[in-house]
Amino acid sequence: MDTVLILTILIVAAALAFDFINGFHDTANAIATSVSTKALKPRHAIVLAAVMNFVGAMTFTGVAKTITKDIVDPFTLENGTTVILAALLAAIAWNLITWYYGIPSSSSHALIGSIAGAAIAAAGISALNYGGFIKIIQALIFSPILAFIIGFIVYSIFKVVFKNSNLSKTNRNFRFIQIATAALQSFTHGTNDAQKAMGIITMALIVNNYQTSDDIQTWVQFSCALAMGLGTSIGGWKIIKTVGGKIMKIRPVNGVAADLTGAAVIFGATAIHLPVSTTHVISSSILGVGSAHRLKGVKWGTAQRMLITWVITLPISASLAAIFYYILNLFF
């Protein structure tokens, strides 16, 4: 078996491992609000999230194509195989570190930062596709801001519409609605997050001359969707506790507002083929809803800790990827 084929197999395995880890790392994003309000039992919520993540991942491929070609050009990437493998190892390492400490960091930031860091280590700053890379960074920055604003507006509307409603009856009704919004949010999560690994595998296939276009092959889409779904089924309880309870005390009406906001922003990004951080979007949705509900009810200390992690993820994952690249370059 030749070296190129072995490295390609390693990349596919690492990409599926990243997708699996991404699944249990980000399960909290889709179901934390429905679990914290007891709209769904944890086991049922995870099964729902796993199924809908799989369905979402099998539905679209636009984001995958963006990952394939907009950060770096796979057709001209120097030492592309080593770059991709180093990026995956760095992203996986950072995901596991933040999962262990229960910090809802961004898998998307980790992967994109890792690709950029490894590519720069291989060929310098000129290796980046500036137009595409900046477009992706803008999407990562502005999507949580948009989610915060929309979450604030949506909950403000809810307060006006339901101001004269019986609180206990309203909460009971919203628990049923939360089942649908949790499913919707899980679906949109799959439409965006699972595609990132698809893009990485496709990039590797192009770099190693196994395909000549950026089309996402069916086996790539299915295997990534399956890995995401299986990872989601494992669950990420530490992060569920952070997202579901340490940002604010969530009631069913808050949860529905946050779920609808998160799903809308994520699906909007998927529709225009841009990768966003589902972690950032959903956490920001909750912050926006919490601010509209009662500003003092938001636990800003947790929000600050999350923000710091969000900011440092790109440079840390890029640095880790550069280190992995130099190590791998000694062997390949």
Side-chain angles (χ1 to χ4, degrees):
M1 190 179 293
D2 64 73
T3 304
V4 172
L5 180 57
I6 292 171
L7 286 173
T8 304
I9 292 171
L10 285 175
I11 288 172
V12 171
L16 293 178
F18 172 82
D19 223 16
F20 180 85
I21 293 167
N22 192 4
F24 75 70
H25 189 275
D26 286 3
T27 299
N29 300 337
I31 63 172
T33 58
S34 59
V35 171
S36 65
T37 62
K38 296 181 172 58
L40 285 166
K41 293 180 179 179
R43 188 179 300 276
H44 296 161
I46 286 177
V47 170
L48 176 67
V51 171
M52 295 308 294
N53 260 290
F54 177 84
V55 173
M58 290 297 295
T59 309
F60 297 92
T61 59
V63 173
K65 292 185 178 183
T66 297
I67 293 293
T68 298
K69 58 186 174 57
D70 279 15
I71 304 173
V72 295
D73 184 355
F75 295 99
T76 60
L77 184 60
E78 186 177 328
N79 293 333
T81 305
T82 310
V83 167
I84 297 167
L85 187 55
L88 284 168
L89 292 175
I92 289 170
W94 184 243
N95 266 0
L96 289 175
I97 290 168
T98 52
W99 166 78
Y100 181 80
Y101 288 104
I103 302 168
S105 69
S106 167
S107 298
S108 303
H109 279 213
L111 183 61
I112 291 162
S114 295
I115 295 170
I120 291 170
I125 194 74
S126 61
L128 295 181
N129 180 345
Y130 292 110
F133 184 67
I134 290 171
K135 181 177 68 176
I136 290 170
I137 295 300
Q138 287 174 338
L140 292 174
I141 291 172
F142 289 116
S143 55
I145 297 172
L146 183 63
F148 181 92
I149 294 169
I150 294 175
F152 188 95
I153 293 170
V154 168
Y155 189 73
S156 297
I157 293 171
F158 278 14
K159 284 202 299 184
V160 173
V161 172
F162 299 104
K163 66 179 180 179
N164 296 321
S165 300
N166 179 281
L167 181 61
S168 61
K169 184 178 180 180
T170 301
N171 278 333
R172 186 167 62 250
N173 291 337
F174 269 100
R175 279 196 181 92
F176 290 111
I177 297 172
Q178 261 200 292
I179 298 172
T181 58
L184 177 64
Q185 188 149 253
S186 298
F187 173 81
T188 60
H189 179 276
T191 67
N192 202 282
D193 259 25
Q195 291 195 49
K196 291 153 192 169
M198 298 178 203
I200 287 290
I201 293 175
T202 302
M203 188 187 297
L205 295 175
I206 292 170
V207 164
N208 292 326
N209 299 314
Y210 289 111
Q211 70 178 65
T212 57
S213 72
D214 62 0
D215 292 335
I216 311 302
Q217 297 187 43
T218 303
W219 73 265
V220 173
Q221 187 175 12
F222 179 80
S223 58
C224 288
L226 185 61
M228 174 69 77
L230 290 174
T232 301
S233 70
I234 300 298
W237 297 113
K238 292 183 179 182
I239 297 173
I240 286 174
K241 290 177 181 177
T242 299
V243 176
K246 293 184 180 179
I247 298 176
M248 62 171 284
K249 184 176 181 180
I250 298 175
R251 294 181 174 85
V253 64
N254 308 132
V256 169
D259 287 351
L260 288 175
T261 299
V265 173
I266 294 167
F267 191 71
T270 298
I272 57 175
H273 302 171
L274 284 176
V276 294
S277 167
T278 53
T279 304
H280 290 206
V281 168
I282 295 169
S283 298
S284 296
S285 300
I286 295 171
L287 287 171
V289 168
S291 299
H293 178 68
R294 189 166 66 91
L295 200 60
K296 291 183 178 178
V298 177
K299 298 172 184 175
W300 294 105
T302 300
Q304 183 182 32
R305 179 164 155 259
M306 288 165 55
L307 180 62
I308 291 170
T309 309
W310 295 349
V311 170
I312 65 174
T313 291
L314 272 170
I316 288 180
S317 57
S319 300
L320 281 173
I323 292 168
F324 274 115
Y325 174 80
Y326 290 126
I327 293 171
L328 289 172
N329 211 35
L330 296 174
F331 299 97
F332 301 108

